[in-house]
Structure formats: C-alpha cells, structure tokens
Amino acid sequence: MNWLTRLLPTRGDTPALDDELRTRLQAWQALAEPDLGRPHFEAAYTVLNTEATGLDLDKDTMLAVGAIRVDGGRFSPADGYYAPLSGQPAAALAGLLHFVGKGPVVVFNTGFNRVMLERALATHLDVAPTWQWLDLRVLLPALFPERIDRPARLADWMRAFSIETFQRHHALGDCWAIAQLFLAAQSRAMAQGAAHARALGDLERARRQLWRQP
Amino acid sequence: MTAAAQELLVGASADFLRRFSPFNRMEPEALDFLAQRAVLAFHPRGSAILTPEMGQPRHFFIVQRGKIQAQQWGATTVTEYASMTLGPGECFPIGAISAQRPSTNAYIAVEDSFCFQISSDQFLELMQMSPVFHLFCTQYIASLLNQSRQQLQTSFAQRAAEQQTMTTQLGQLVKKAPVFVAPETPTRRALEEMAAQHLGCMIVADDDQRPLGILTQSDLLPRVVLAGFDLSLPISEVMTANPHQLPATASAYDAALEMATHGVRHLLVIDSDGRLKGVVSERDLFSLQRISLRQIRAGIESAHDVESLQRASRDIRQLALNLIAQGIGAEQLTQFISALNDALTRRIIDLALYTHNLYGIDYAWVAFGSEGRHEQTLSTDQDNGIIWQCPEMEDASQVRRRLVAFAREVNENLANCGFPLCKGNIMASNPELCLTLEEWKGRFGDWIREPDPQALLNASIFFDFRVLYGNERLGDQLRQWLNRTAKMNSAFLRMMASNALQVVPPLGRIRDFVVEDDGTIDLKKSGARLFVDAARIIALRTGVESSSTVQRLRQSAVRLGVPTEEVAAIIDGFHFIQLLRLRSQHLETEHDSPGDNRLDPDKLNELDRRILKEAFRQARKLQLRLKLDYQL
C-alpha cells in the first residue's frame, strides 16, 4: 500500500493505479487552491460537460467527458479536453483532473453533471475534488432574464444566443456551446458587478432561493 | 486525449471559417494554422472592441456571430461609409494591422457578438504563409482606393450636374445682383463704377429698376474716347437705349440665339414686372456648353492663330474636370491631358513652321520631365528640346540658329497657351538644349560617367524624354544608346538610387504625416516623385524603353519577376497621389489661385487620408527595393 491510497479514503473496489497515474494524481493534489476573488479577465475556469447513456442518474453511466478552458474571458480550440470513459476510465479522469486543476468549474446543470462526474471520480480514482461548481442553467436566467426568465434547456439558450456547435449531445460538442454561453455570462456578470467566481456563486445561490419560493 | 479535443475544436473553427471567403479558398495548412490559433471571445452589445485610441491593434478579429459596426473616427465622417456593419465571417482591421498602425475606425459591437481573434504577429505570419489571404488583404486595400475614387467621382459628378445646360432658365444663371445707375448720372461716375467693380457693362435704369439702356466696354472706344465725349454729361446721352432683354424664364439657348442674331455680348434679364434682375454675358453661356474631346481636338487642328489655341487650352482644363466627373482614373486622365497637350503643341509647331523654314533639316521636338512621361497635370511648365542632325554640306551653327529661332516662337506661343516658360530655361530655344544626336549622347554620357549632383538632377529630367514632333527615329536612337550606356554603368545607377532615396515618404512615426512648416505635403516632391525616380532607375536597369512611370514599373516588374499584384498596388498608390494632385489643381484653379501640388492632409477626409498613407507606404516599398538592389 502506497502513501497515496493511505491518504485517500479507501474503497474496496478502487482499481490499483499504475505509477504514472499516481504521479498525476499526486501533482493534482499538490496544486494550490484557486483564488475565487480574481476578476474574470484574469481567472481561468473550466467548462465541463459529460455525455452519458441517458439522463437517469440511477441507471445511466457516463460515456465521455469534455472540457474547455476559459482563460481571461476567451477560449482557444487548442485548450480543450475530451476523453471517452470506455477503455481506460481512470486515465481519462486523471487527465481531466490534470486539465481542470482545482477549478472553478462551469457546467450546464450541476444536478446531473456534478453527480455523474463525482461518482466517476470516486469510483475510478477514489478522489472527491472540492471544486467550486457554477451552474449556467441557474446563472443564465439570472443574468439574461430578458431572454429567458426560467430554468430552460441548453438548446433553448443556444437558440437565444444563436450559438451553434459541431455536434450536439457530444461531450465536447455541447461543451463548446456551453463555453460560448459562459463567455456571454461572464461579460454580463462583469457589467452587473459580479466580477469573480465567488460572486457568481452568490448569484447562483440567490437565484436558487428565489426559485424555491412559491 | 487533449489531442482529440483539439482536433474536434480546431475542426469546428475551420468548418465555420470555411463558410466564408477568403477562408474557403485558403490553403489547407494556412486554414489549419488559423483555426488552431483563433481564440473566441465575447463582446457585449455596445462595447468597443477596437478604437484608434487603443493604439496599434494587437489582434485581428473575425466575426463569428453578431454584428460589429465600423465607425469612422474623428470629425471628418464624410465618406460613403461613415459606418459599416460587419457580420459573421467578416474581419477587421485589415489596413491597420497589416500596416501596424492604429485603426482609423472604431469597432463597436452593436449586438452581443462573438469574435475569433489572432494576435497581430500571427496575422502577419498568416499573410506570409497564405498567398490567398495575402491577396485578400491587398485587394481589400485596393478596394478602399476604388471607393475613394468613386467618392471623388460622385463629388465631381455633383458639380457637373450643378453645371447647367443650355435649357437652364436665365433666372438661375444670374448670380449677382445687377449694378445700375440712374440716367442722369454723370458719365465719369458711371465709368468709375465700372472700373471699380470690373464690370463689362453698365446698365442704366429708372427708379423702378426698369432698364433704360446699357453702355458696354466695347462702346467706350468709338463712342467715348475717339468721339471725345464730355464725361460730365449724363450717361443717358451715350448709352444704347432699349437694350436687348429677355425674361428670367427664357432659356440659355434663347439668350445665345438672341446674342448671335443681334451680335451683342450682354443681355439684360428682367422679371415678370419688367424689373432688372441681372445680366448674362456671352461668356456665361459659353461655360455652359459641355466640351467634348472631339470638339477640342478639331478645334486645335483647325486653329489658325494662337488665340484659338488659347481657347482650346482652356477647354482642355474644362474637359479634364468633366472627365473626372465621368469617373476616369488618374492614368487615363493624364493620358487625355497629355494627348491634347501634344496636339496643341504640334499645332503650335505647325503654325511656327509657316514662318520658319526648316526644310531639309532632320529634327525631333522632344518633351522632357512630366510631359515626357505622359504625366502632365494641369499646371506644368514647359520642358522641351530639340534633337537634330546636321545635313551634309551645311554649317552646324547656321542650322542651330535657325532651329533656335523657330523654337523661340514655339516656346512663346506655348506660354501664351497656358504652359508657362520654364524658369530653369529647359526649353528648345535654349541653344544648350538644341543639340544634335551626337551632342545629346555626349551630354548624357558625361552625366553617366561623372554623376555629380547636378548631373543626377539633369538625368532625372532629361532621361524622361519623348518625341512630340518630327523624326521619331532620332528619339529611338538616343533611347537605345542611353539604356545600353546606363546599364553598363552600375555605379551611375547606384548613385541615382542613392539620390532618389534622399527624399522619403512623408510618413510620421507619431503623427500620420510629416508636414512642412505650412502644414502641407508637397504631393509632387514628396509624393509622385518618389515613384517617378524609382521607376526611372528600374527602367534603365532593365532596359525598358517607355518613359512613363506606370509603364516602366509594369514592364520592368515582368522582367524582374515581381508579382503582378505587388506592382499593381504600387501603381495604385502612384495614381492616387496623381489624382489628388489633379483634384487639388482643379479646385485651386477654380478659386483662381495658382494651381500647385500642396495638400493639407487635415483637409482630407478620413478615407482619403488613409489611402494616402497607404500610397506613401507603397512608395516606401519601392524605395526599399532600390535599397536592397543597390545595397544602400
């Protein structure tokens, strides 16, 4: 038993990790926590998106993950990550951890994506990242109520911004669209004074509370 | 795994770009280069993406989604696109980023927009890598040139439209309030008034402004001076009573007919109550007539005296204005002017030959300088000379004397027709410039062997020669000899090049333009000449026989393997400067101030200023070529 598995909560079904993967996890663990108070134009976010066999969290499993880094309010096609989970899921997820770092992360619909990802990370790598999760499904109506003022589907938001993507329902294809939505969200948030990740988190919480009220 | 993502995302960008020109025609590796580096950013509605104040643009943008408005910056927003909207697939700022200078437009997102961007270095790399993209950018700049030309045409066309035709009502032709005196006014006072106001005639009217009579300048000699008329007597005693008059609603044509019928030069225009509204003169009507090339040509060829040629010379100017209005570019325009001036000069020579017998003498009348290059603008003085060959058994000094006497008459008549005598005495009547073929060769040879500053200056004037009249073969022989000799003397060409490089394009590091003390740029000295000088050297080196700058550039480019679009851009730049010169000379002469080559860049509109800068940059490019060729 090596030091890493001692550090991590052990589970009986965690597959043994090879040296390379262990080194990667180790490097990831050693990363500093992000400063959530950095303004958007200086901060890096990772837009994450999962592709699963379906939308039922109990039955369906994750097929692939896509990620795009939004750094300083823009993103480059050279700065993306995509990995199917078939074959070597541990390696795919370790690569993702390496790509994302310590966050923050942006998804469309945390309810599904976060659960899918956290479950996969626990299963295959036995880690539970403490990322700050930002949910565009909540943030977009809060920021652009003049466009859609309720929880809506990704397709609706894409239409609202006439955003297209190269392949719908593909982990990276949708991720590309979500990343574009996030650029718009950042810009609007900035204009409204929500200049950093923490403020976006507050905005998201406030909106969730609003929705909970009758 | 990251590689897979890159491939997908780069592919997505490439797919998007491929929907638009020029990216759809771009070389695969160039498109891949672009798609890999194109970063996507969002610009909310109302935000400024790029403004002149941001300095040199650091990014090149391609609109992915939304609308970006390019707005002309500053006070002078007079061009046809004071603002222009860019949509998906369109890019900016091409001119500014390729020239590495601040943008002249402000680019504002008028909708929430996404733009791809690459850094300016990547842009330049892409330009180098992709001939398609390079051409696209060059053509974009050329299209700006076109726009400016069209705009120029519109403004001249407008003025031409304002110029009335023979159907115009006389009321509209009357520009000034009439000057008139009462019938009892002493004649002396009336004449003093005429003199003071430079009037061609004085009208006599009653208290109700009804015309009673007229006294014209041409009446003065017979009726006043020769008749010894007593100037203290009232004007009514010497005026022509019941002057010819037409209602304000009559047409210019009616007036012309009236004048022709009665042989008068002035007509009074009256309103419906019979009150005096003004005067129209024969000259007012004459200027209404559109003058055609053919008419002028015919006028010149049938002219029997200098006076009719003077009229033709004025017509040439008028025609030039009309031609600009019809949308003719600088090249054709200067050619037209040049062709008509040639015809005029030939006619003047013909007339001079009536009185000077040159029978048996083999000679050629040559034009030097701008006339020699077919590049005359409207205000050029004379630069001419004669090449001749002494007939056997004749005394050379005798022949020269005859030629010089003939040339003097030609030079004077040219001066009378609007081509001022050359201050530097570069005229055929100067015995120094009335040389035999052998003497010219000797003269040119001296300059080439010993290229001191004066020799280089001379070369820049005299090597641009062209035969206007007489035996063309003399010119051909001199040209061939010159090209051969110059080509063999690379030291001479190198000196010419170094001399040409002493004047640099007036582009500033901080301000747009480097202006002279009076705030202007000399478009001849610091503009056109940069092209002309470089073209001459390149032509001598490549043995191009044409004396025209454009032809020299075009023909030598073929010999030197310079890409067509590169030389086209240089020629466009040259033409633009020539067009500005012509334009300013037109505007100047219309205000009756001497036409010159000075231009205040602050008075140009934004677009023209931008293109002028581009034109100067082309001159710089041409100079750079000389620098490299001669390692200066």
Side-chain angles (χ1 to χ4, degrees), chain A residues 74-75 77 80 82 147 162 187, chain B residues 1-2 38 40 44 65 112 117:
Chain A
R74 53 190 65 153
F75 64 80
Y82 173 76
R147 298 196 185 211
S162 37
S187 158
Chain B
M1 301 291 171
T2 319
L40 195 66
R65 192 147 299 135
D112 284 343
Q117 61 187 61

Side-chain angles (χ1 to χ4, degrees), chain A residues 14-35:
Chain A
T14 306
L17 300 174
D18 64 25
D19 285 350
E20 194 198 326
L21 272 183
R22 248 181 279 122
T23 323
R24 292 196 93 172
L25 275 179
Q26 190 184 331
W28 174 74
Q29 294 278 18
L31 289 174
E33 290 296 323
D35 176 1

Side-chain angles (χ1 to χ4, degrees), chain B residues 293-507:
Chain B
L293 191 66
R294 199 179 46 79
Q295 281 170 332
I296 299 177
R297 194 67 203 233
I300 290 170
E301 270 150 24
S302 64
H304 285 288
D305 49 32
V306 176
E307 287 74 47
S308 22
L309 288 172
Q310 280 173 332
R311 210 171 306 127
S313 155
R314 280 195 299 273
D315 291 352
I316 292 174
R317 281 175 175 270
Q318 183 62 38
L319 175 75
L321 177 68
N322 292 345
L323 288 178
I324 295 183
Q326 287 162 27
I328 276 173
E331 183 173 21
Q332 293 94 325
L333 188 58
T334 42
Q335 278 171 356
F336 272 128
I337 296 175
S338 173
L340 290 176
N341 285 346
D342 285 1
L344 192 74
T345 307
R346 289 192 188 114
R347 188 64 197 151
I348 285 174
I349 291 175
D350 279 337
L351 292 180
L353 286 174
Y354 287 140
T355 46
H356 295 268
N357 179 15
L358 298 181
Y359 185 77
I361 305 177
D362 197 10
Y363 72 97
W365 180 277
V366 289
F368 299 114
S370 62
E371 198 182 356
R373 292 190 299 270
H374 284 283
E375 281 154 24
Q376 266 168 305
T377 52
L378 294 161
S379 55
T380 22
D381 54 6
Q382 304 184 38
D383 283 325
N384 44 47
I386 292 177
I387 311 173
W388 56 282
Q389 259 173 331
C390 192
E392 279 179 51
M393 312 294 286
E394 291 248 17
D395 175 12
S397 58
Q398 281 280 342
V399 176
R400 194 185 322 264
R401 227 183 330 249
R402 277 162 67 196
L403 282 168
V404 165
F406 147 79
R408 185 160 298 125
E409 183 169 335
V410 176
N411 286 148
E412 271 160 19
N413 284 339
L414 279 170
N416 288 331
C417 289
F419 302 97
L421 294 173
C422 175
K423 292 185 198 84
N425 202 14
I426 302 178
M427 288 186 292
S429 56
N430 177 353
E432 290 289 298
L433 298 177
C434 180
L435 304 178
T436 64
L437 181 59
E438 292 313 310
E439 285 170 332
W440 278 114
K441 285 181 186 171
R443 183 72 55 89
F444 284 4
D446 289 345
W447 297 340
I448 291 172
R449 266 189 309 281
E450 282 176 53
D452 57 43
Q454 186 57 45
L456 290 171
L457 179 66
N458 289 339
S460 73
I461 299 166
F462 292 97
F463 286 8
D464 299 346
F465 66 84
R466 176 167 72 88
V467 172
L468 275 189
Y469 194 102
N471 186 353
E472 291 214 19
R473 273 201 44 239
L474 291 171
D476 292 343
Q477 286 173 15
L478 186 57
R479 169 75 56 206
Q480 280 162 20
W481 176 88
L482 173 64
N483 279 353
R484 235 184 4 254
T485 314
K487 205 177 168 178
M488 287 186 304
N489 281 272
S490 56
F492 166 73
L493 289 180
R494 188 161 188 275
M495 291 282 281
M496 288 265 282
S498 136
N499 203 37
L501 291 175
Q502 296 198 340
V503 183
V504 294
L507 287 171

